[in-house]
Amino acid sequence: SSHSETTSKKRDDYLEWPEYFMAVAFLSAQRSKDPNSQVGACIVNAENKIVGIGYNGMPNGCSDDLLPWNRAAESKLDTKYPYVCHAELNAIMNKNSADVKGCTMYVALFPCNECAKLIIQAGIKEVIFISDKYHDSDETTAARVLFDLAGIKFRKFTPKYGKIVIDFDSINSQPKSQKPQ
């Protein structure tokens, strides 16, 4: 008798690498305390290994209860901008390998000029982002100038799925029965 009826085939709805890395960036963003924007970044090497992850937040040891989270105030010193570390900076600083030369960064939002400088100096060769909502700002305009001059590729990513659900309870569900015919 043939075994073909009971043979399982591998799933074809598994996450592909780009979706997986962008999902890791977005999951990391859920750690952010910023009430307005939660941004995550994930750095990946040529072997598809994650070598750094970061999200936007206040510097280590600087209380995010004592520093401001405002986007606007009379004084710039009462806004978050002079203090907060962007996801890209944190991903580079949190790297778990000797360097990130030749790596790709997955990030929710197109980088600002300050992060572009860090990305270039760290040797990252490609930036993959989902949103470019600040495209016309001076910061992203300068970032594109720097990326172009440094030969860094950047591209907008359109995920296959609008959302990926993480279901902690799924591990307890029974496998679909594989009854032979």
Side-chain angles (χ1 to χ4, degrees):
S1 74
S2 132
H3 290 283
S4 61
E5 299 94 57
T6 54
T7 302
S8 276
K9 287 205 166 59
K10 74 176 184 190
R11 289 172 60 222
D12 54 15
D13 57 345
Y14 60 89
L15 277 189
E16 293 181 27
W17 285 121
E19 273 77 17
Y20 174 70
F21 297 135
M22 194 59 87
V24 167
F26 271 70
L27 185 61
S28 171
Q30 295 299 304
R31 285 275 310 144
S32 175
K33 319 301 183 304
D34 191 319
N36 294 114
S37 44
Q38 300 84 43
V39 180
C42 176
I43 303 171
V44 181
N45 70 13
E47 287 82 52
N48 285 326
K49 290 196 175 82
I50 293 172
V51 295
I53 300 176
Y55 56 88
N56 58 314
M58 296 305 178
N60 294 338
C62 300
S63 168
D64 43 34
D65 293 317
L66 300 178
L67 288 168
W69 287 106
N70 312 312
R71 297 184 74 166
E74 269 183 54
S75 165
K76 190 175 182 183
L77 290 174
D78 294 322
T79 71
K80 65 182 175 177
Y81 298 110
Y83 310 109
V84 77
C85 297
H86 284 179
E88 298 94 325
L89 177 154
N90 281 329
I92 291 167
M93 297 306 294
N94 295 343
K95 68 185 190 293
N96 58 17
S97 67
D99 63 52
V100 290
K101 281 188 179 53
C103 288
T104 296
M105 178 181 283
Y106 287 80
V107 65
L109 203 52
F110 188 86
C112 73
N113 60 307
E114 290 299 323
C115 290
K117 293 185 229 177
L118 292 167
I119 286 164
I120 291 165
Q121 298 301 68
I124 289 167
K125 280 292 164 240
E126 185 176 22
V127 175
I128 299 172
F129 60 94
I130 285 189
S131 173
D132 192 15
K133 63 182 174 182
Y134 303 116
H135 183 274
D136 296 326
S137 71
D138 291 346
E139 289 79 7
T140 57
T141 300
R144 289 190 299 274
V145 168
L146 291 169
F147 284 157
D148 285 339
L149 289 171
I152 304 228
K153 291 188 294 199
F154 54 89
R155 62 184 167 90
K156 190 172 162 65
F157 177 63
T158 306
K160 284 201 170 81
Y161 315 100
K163 60 171 57 171
I164 292 166
V165 177
I166 295 173
D167 176 6
F168 287 123
D169 206 39
S170 62
I171 199 68
N172 290 316
S173 63
Q174 297 302 314
K176 295 175 189 75
S177 61
Q178 296 276 326
K179 295 193 194 85
Q181 303 304 314

